[in-house]
Amino acid sequence: VRSLYFALSTTSSMGYGNGPAAVQDVEYVFAVCVQLFGACISAVIFSNISSVINKGDAASMRFFELTDRVNEFIRFHHLPTALKGRLRAYTEMQFSLHRGIDAGGVVTSFPTHLQDDIYYHLHERLLRQVPMFNAVEDVGFIRSLSRRLKPQVLLAG
């Protein structure tokens, strides 16, 4: 018990000899338990911090992968300069809207009733802006219509 206490005290930030000294075996066991608990709490905190950092990096990794594919496509097909600029602008605009997440692919992985709920949530506000659909009280109709919408993004030029 004392050798374990010495090893943990030396490797922990407390250091051996700093702080109150254990005298009885119960105190040594308690000190070992407290040091192990502190090490576990530190590990949890550091893993959560690294997880947050990696989540931020996941979006930038998706962006760099997407731009690399677009640039490779441009080089492979020897596209003209004007078209290169339009492709890159479209890629950046699409990524800024969706953060590189294929919503259609994600939604299709869910059961049909959940897909209906998701599409309704995503498109109801847009459908209600159309005067013809604004007064419709039949939610089922709006839900079925929202499932059939296909987003289109058009660039100027």
Side-chain angles (χ1 to χ4, degrees):
V1 173
R2 291 179 187 218
S3 61
L4 181 62
Y5 170 78
F6 174 76
L8 286 174
S9 296
T10 321
T11 57
S12 71
S13 62
M14 187 172 104
Y16 186 73
N18 297 341
V23 178
Q24 299 176 354
D25 285 341
V26 175
E27 293 171 341
Y28 282 107
V29 170
F30 178 75
V32 166
C33 291
V34 168
Q35 290 173 8
L36 288 174
F37 179 75
C40 291
I41 293 296
S42 298
V44 167
I45 290 170
F46 288 128
S47 68
N48 286 338
I49 290 172
S50 68
S51 174
V52 167
I53 291 171
N54 285 335
K55 283 182 184 176
D57 287 343
S60 62
M61 291 292 288
R62 284 193 305 269
F63 178 73
F64 289 125
E65 288 173 4
L66 179 63
T67 55
D68 285 345
R69 284 188 306 219
V70 169
N71 288 332
E72 185 176 344
F73 178 82
I74 290 170
R75 280 191 304 275
F76 182 76
H77 292 288
H78 306 289
L79 298 179
T81 306
L83 187 54
K84 289 179 193 179
R86 289 175 52 206
L87 282 176
R88 288 182 178 132
Y90 180 80
T91 303
E92 290 176 11
M93 188 269 311
Q94 276 292 98
F95 190 84
S96 69
L97 291 175
H98 305 292
R99 303 284 295 159
I101 297 172
D102 177 22
V106 172
V107 172
T108 56
S109 67
F110 295 111
T112 308
H113 68 281
L114 284 177
Q115 290 179 25
D116 290 342
D117 291 342
I118 293 168
Y119 284 125
Y120 179 72
H121 173 75
L122 293 176
H123 301 303
E124 182 204 12
R125 190 176 65 199
L126 176 68
L127 286 170
R128 296 292 182 185
Q129 290 176 355
V130 177
M132 181 170 53
F133 302 127
N134 189 18
V136 174
E137 294 180 13
D138 184 9
V139 175
F141 173 73
I142 298 295
R143 287 173 67 89
S144 64
L145 187 60
S146 67
R147 184 171 176 77
R148 283 150 186 77
L149 288 179
K150 302 290 182 215
Q152 296 289 320
V153 178
L154 305 172
L155 292 179

